[in-house]
Amino acid sequence: MTTVPAKAAAILILAGAAAGVLAEPALVADGILTYRGMATELATHQKLYSEEHYLRYQNGRIAERVVLYQCADGAPFARKRVQYVDRFAPDFETIDAGSGMHEGLRSNSGQREVFYRENSGEKETRKLLQPTAGLVADAGFDEFIRGNWDSLMSGQSRDLDFLVPSRLGVHGFQVKHVRAEAVDGVPAQLFRLRLSGILGLLLPGIEVYYSDAQRTLLRYDGLSNLQDADGKQHKVLILFPPQNRVRSDAAALLKAQ
């Protein structure tokens, strides 16, 4: 049996940061939207963790996102904060208190810096990122899907340079529309994200299901971007029921930060 090198697998895992990334433009033009999703292991159906999202909209555009990750028993273990300085490549920071993993992309004096620390026993590594027109980072993948919806639905595949903090750089991915498929009775479209080149043949893809009506993420199938206590990444199914999306307020967002 062939095993995938850990660093190569990490490329695809980190592309899975798109999981749980969701917006609802028709529901919130300005203000705060919150929603929750549950991740279960595909093989055993064991509940692993939940994601609680807080999205702030300003002038009809998403400006900020905070994500709290909680164990199945409700204990928080990780947090992500996203600042949309760029629609497809926002600044972001993810901190996993369990493993000590720390990663993200930050802007400083007109330059952009990617940083990564695998665990609390290692030093943070960082590198200035060279400007690229096709850069997509973390939650920006959600905006990329909506921004390219019409071309994807017409059958065109789209290439993107996805930021991989563990590699302190980008890697080529390709996303394409697969078919129409309902999620819990909600009409949806299935898209598949794969690594470009030879790695795309060796590693499994990520599948995301977006609703037809609002073009929001309803389901994610793929490797989790978070590790358990043993350093293991699970293959997960994450569901985001549309009825869970409700308005919230600034106090709730502040508390989540």
Side-chain angles (χ1 to χ4, degrees):
M1 179 178 175
T2 303
T3 41
V4 179
K7 285 297 182 182
I11 295 173
L12 192 56
I13 290 165
L14 289 171
V21 174
L22 160 65
E24 187 96 28
L27 180 61
V28 178
D30 290 279
I32 312 297
L33 171 72
T34 185
Y35 67 91
R36 191 178 183 89
M38 174 61 69
T40 59
E41 190 172 39
L42 274 173
T44 65
H45 305 291
Q46 176 188 0
K47 291 183 179 180
L48 297 176
Y49 60 88
S50 64
E51 303 180 0
E52 192 167 3
H53 294 244
Y54 296 85
L55 285 67
R56 179 173 64 85
Y57 288 85
Q58 187 173 7
N59 298 324
R61 287 184 170 270
I62 186 168
E64 180 182 9
R65 177 192 306 272
V66 176
V67 186
L68 298 181
Y69 299 89
Q70 299 173 311
C71 299
D73 62 5
F77 69 92
R79 175 184 285 106
K80 178 195 296 184
R81 186 173 182 183
V82 183
Q83 298 288 335
Y84 286 83
V85 298
D86 183 282
R87 183 184 180 190
F88 296 162
D91 283 357
F92 71 97
E93 179 184 40
T94 302
I95 302 173
D96 186 334
S99 66
M101 186 272 288
H102 184 214
E103 68 174 20
L105 175 65
R106 54 193 167 215
S107 299
N108 185 18
S109 301
Q111 295 182 311
R112 308 200 74 187
E113 182 180 68
V114 56
F115 58 93
Y116 181 74
R117 182 185 69 198
E118 186 172 4
N119 56 59
S120 55
E122 295 189 357
K123 291 184 178 180
E124 180 183 286
T125 56
R126 57 184 75 100
K127 183 179 179 180
L128 290 179
L129 199 63
Q130 295 300 316
T132 171
L135 180 65
V136 178
D138 200 77
F141 177 70
D142 185 62
E143 292 297 317
F144 181 87
I145 288 286
R146 270 195 299 278
N148 291 277
W149 185 275
D150 291 340
S151 63
L152 287 168
M153 290 299 295
S154 72
Q156 299 180 42
S157 60
R158 304 291 299 187
D159 295 324
L160 62 150
D161 291 327
F162 199 91
L163 179 68
V164 183
S166 66
R167 304 299 290 264
L168 297 182
V170 301
H171 205 286
F173 282 79
Q174 186 179 81
V175 61
K176 67 176 183 178
H177 175 252
V178 179
R179 62 179 178 269
E181 184 172 333
V183 177
D184 292 336
V186 179
Q189 301 296 332
L190 167 59
F191 301 91
R192 181 174 295 133
L193 176 71
R194 297 185 67 91
L195 280 161
S196 299
I198 188 66
L199 284 177
L201 302 176
L202 299 176
L203 298 174
I206 291 169
E207 295 188 340
V208 288
Y209 299 73
Y210 279 73
S211 68
D212 279 340
Q214 302 296 340
R215 300 182 182 180
T216 56
L217 184 64
L218 299 176
R219 171 174 170 163
Y220 166 89
D221 290 2
L223 291 172
S224 171
N225 62 314
L226 300 173
Q227 300 179 356
D228 63 15
D230 299 320
K232 177 183 178 182
Q233 277 91 18
H234 295 270
K235 191 170 184 180
V236 297
L237 159 64
I238 311 178
L239 292 175
F240 302 94
Q243 64 269 24
N244 284 356
R245 303 180 185 110
V246 296
R247 284 184 175 273
S248 188
D249 54 36
L253 175 64
L254 184 62
K255 183 178 180 180
Q257 295 173 346

